[in-house]
Amino acid sequence: MPPPAVSTAPVAPVVASSSSAAAAAPRRPRSLRLRVTPYASVSSSSSPSTFAVSIPPPPPARHSRKQLVGRDGAPAKPAKPRVFFLDVNPLCFRGSQRSLGAFARWLALFFAHVSLRDPVVAVLDGEGGNEYRRRLLPSYKAHRPRGPGTGADSRVIDVLRECNVPVVRVDGYEADDVVATLTEQVLQKGFRVVIGSPDKDFKQLISEDVQLVMPIPEIGRWSFYTLRHYVAQYKCDPTADLSLRCFIGDEADGIPGIQHLVPGFGRKTAVKLLKKHGSLENLLNTAAVRTVGKDYAQDALVKHADYLRKNYEVLSLKRDVKVQLDDRWLSTRDSCNDSSVLSDFILKFNEGQNIR
């Protein structure tokens, strides 16, 4: 088994209070228009595109026959209610540049077309959240800024609060670890969880009751990613995702895969071995006493076992962050201020320009 995680003393979470926003008189909804420059995948010579959205009231509940009637003709169980976790930090960037415009655009789309009035909890990286993993692997997110002032802009937090979204941040931990911990608590209360983030780390949490919704810059929309999508993409179960990523690494986060040491050891080989042995630790323990594959794979598993175990510890999301779910976060979100708050936010920073 991988060595125990190094513990750090957490700081109590900073949670936004939504009571004042809820008590205020609802603002008159206005149409929200954002003008954003195209993402890096589009030629910089392209003219800016206009994005407009009005935050509509939630649609009436609709039930298909499949939802109401089971296969045996008996009434089907109603779907579990959903709770959304929003990974805020990645949404505040356009490419490698900070952008309030990118945040406003993705948030408006998220409220209007994804979460509607379902509960949303926003989670931010805490100060020093990367340090634990950087001690294990110095290359981990080494290209990203660090230290005070590198977190989310205070204006981002203000907008979330005004939209009645609680904000959670625990110093000493990354948002991923806080989301993983709170996800366990939400599932125990009988809810489903949807995690709004482009971060691949969350794929290790996918199950029947946990799915992702990811911002896709190329098409300018959020896209759901479920258990079915995962199995179709990787040809294995998400329970093996963490073990699989120890082999393939994560270049975006500075975590090299084993192919840098053994070029012939790719995803296909890793999936084949994990299907047979179930997990990285089982595979490494078996390879230590007998042959489990071709010579190059066998040699790699024996020679680089410590390397793979370190990747496992770096990539594994913590579930023991000292943060407690507040039952008030599970209530229907009051969305009456969404349109006016986001419109004011855009107007304040010059609507129609590339907001930074």
Side-chain angles (χ1 to χ4, degrees):
M1 296 296 292
V6 179
S7 62
T8 56
V11 178
V14 179
V15 181
S17 171
S18 60
S19 58
S20 60
R27 306 185 189 186
R28 182 180 178 183
R30 292 188 293 176
S31 177
L32 171 63
R33 297 183 64 82
L34 308 181
R35 184 180 294 274
V36 297
T37 55
Y39 281 77
S41 60
V42 182
S43 170
S44 59
S45 62
S46 303
S47 59
S49 57
T50 300
F51 167 75
V53 60
S54 296
I55 308 296
R62 293 183 296 177
H63 301 282
S64 66
R65 183 174 179 83
K66 182 178 180 181
Q67 291 174 311
L68 295 175
V69 181
R71 291 183 179 179
D72 57 357
K77 294 182 179 179
K80 296 178 181 178
R82 301 182 301 180
V83 174
F84 286 84
F85 287 107
L86 190 63
D87 183 16
V88 175
N89 293 80
L91 304 180
C92 299
F93 287 83
R94 178 176 289 118
S96 61
Q97 299 296 319
R98 287 183 176 274
S99 171
L100 291 176
F103 165 75
R105 179 176 185 271
W106 288 119
L107 187 64
L109 285 169
F110 187 81
F111 287 159
H113 301 294
V114 179
S115 67
L116 303 177
R117 295 185 63 196
D118 284 338
V120 178
V121 179
V123 185
L124 284 71
D125 289 334
E127 293 290 346
N130 294 340
E131 295 308 312
Y132 160 73
R133 290 181 171 91
R134 278 177 169 165
R135 286 195 297 269
L136 290 172
L137 185 66
S139 64
Y140 178 73
K141 296 186 178 179
H143 59 292
R144 301 189 186 182
R146 57 198 298 182
T150 58
D153 192 298
S154 61
R155 292 167 292 186
V156 168
I157 298 174
D158 291 341
V159 166
L160 290 166
R161 288 175 172 173
E162 291 184 56
C163 291
N164 299 309
V165 174
V167 177
V168 182
R169 176 168 52 191
V170 183
D171 287 345
Y173 292 94
E174 295 186 75
D176 303 16
D177 299 317
V178 178
V179 170
T181 299
L182 290 174
T183 292
E184 296 285 334
Q185 298 177 25
V186 169
L187 293 176
Q188 291 173 9
K189 291 184 176 291
F191 287 76
R192 291 181 294 150
V193 170
V194 184
I195 302 170
S197 175
D199 196 333
K200 296 187 295 293
D201 292 341
F202 288 119
K203 289 184 178 181
Q204 62 190 267
L205 302 180
I206 290 177
S207 68
E208 289 286 355
D209 288 328
V210 180
Q211 58 186 225
L212 310 183
V213 59
M214 310 173 77
I216 311 297
E218 292 79 7
I219 59 176
R221 59 180 290 184
W222 291 86
S223 179
F224 281 88
Y225 187 92
T226 67
L227 176 61
R228 177 172 57 85
H229 295 110
Y230 184 93
V231 173
Q233 180 178 3
Y234 294 103
K235 305 298 187 292
C236 65
D237 192 89
T239 55
D241 180 77
L242 179 56
S243 296
L244 175 61
R245 293 186 61 230
C246 292
F247 287 100
I248 63 179
D250 188 340
E251 291 188 3
D253 285 347
I255 305 172
I258 199 172
Q259 63 270 23
H260 293 277
L261 303 172
V262 186
F265 203 128
R267 176 183 295 178
K268 186 176 180 180
T269 301
V271 168
K272 181 178 179 180
L273 291 170
L274 289 172
K275 278 186 175 180
K276 183 175 181 179
H277 297 278
S279 69
L280 174 66
E281 192 62 27
N282 287 343
L283 175 58
L284 294 178
N285 290 338
T286 303
V289 296
R290 65 177 178 84
T291 301
V292 297
K294 295 182 178 180
D295 289 345
Y296 76 92
Q298 177 68 24
D299 291 344
L301 292 171
V302 173
K303 184 177 180 180
H304 302 297
D306 290 342
Y307 177 92
L308 291 168
R309 287 189 171 104
K310 180 182 289 187
N311 274 3
Y312 188 98
E313 190 168 358
V314 171
L315 289 165
S316 179
L317 298 183
K318 292 178 174 295
R319 272 83 160 179
D320 59 353
V321 178
K322 301 300 182 184
V323 60
Q324 187 60 44
L325 181 73
D326 189 327
D327 286 343
R328 291 174 295 179
W329 302 347
L330 305 179
S331 302
T332 299
R333 186 180 67 86
D334 184 352
S335 61
C336 64
N337 290 339
D338 289 359
S339 184
S340 57
V341 167
L342 290 171
S343 294
D344 290 347
F345 180 73
I346 296 304
L347 291 172
K348 184 176 180 180
F349 298 103
N350 298 322
E351 179 182 5
Q353 297 183 14
N354 184 23
I355 307 168
R356 298 206 180 268

